[in-house]
Amino acid sequence: MSAAADHAYSVIRSKIFDGEFSSGDRLKESELSKVCDVSRTPVREALRKLEADGLVRISPNSGAIVAHWSESDILDIYSVRVQLEALAASLAAQRRTDADLEKLQACADEMKAASDVRSPHENDLEIARVNSDFHHLILTAARSRALAAAASQVIEAPLMLRTFRRYEPERLMRSVSDHLELVSAIRARDSALAGSLMAAHILSGLRTLVAQPK
């Protein structure tokens, strides 16, 4: 992607996650061009990347709209996440570097700090972003381009679905603890434990999503 397209991608993606662009909203290239301060060509390129991420749907008749995920979609997404991210955690335990481990620990600590001072919904977006960073860091540590490409769409689900708005304090702290346990397993190069912990972590998130109203 060009620098202008990267910029447009970041701006549009951020507005989707912030809720400024909601599920079902039309994304008009002319308006996005003004919002992103770029021409329509990089906007079009950014929208195609967002479609690949699963955040946008593009059709010949209606153009680009912010994706809506049904409960069936969520179940499908999380069933794929369990398989891919458990594998990523297992590979990360085998292939991680000391630098990877340092970043994972810092990210897990950052999420714990944000959760410790959480007030209702005030920093849920920050927590969700740190959570996303953590999962992306595990994918990076797995050092598998094929796996990273396969997981690129489903790993953004918690951000898109505002997952952490549905977490009671106890559930959020369980998620924080999950991350710390994953770091410990990856530090110990215990690939079986890391994979098992990640699978349980993803399934726990799914139960939170489907058990509560949106």
Side-chain angles (χ1 to χ4, degrees), residues 87-102:
L87 176 58
S90 179
L91 290 175
Q94 300 170 32
R95 301 174 179 178
R96 59 85 176 163
T97 64
D98 288 345
D100 292 328
L101 196 60
E102 183 177 343

Side-chain angles (χ1 to χ4, degrees), residues 28-40:
K28 298 180 180 179
E29 291 180 8
S30 58
E31 295 177 2
L32 292 174
S33 178
K34 294 176 183 177
V35 169
C36 301
D37 195 25
V38 297
S39 69
R40 293 178 67 167

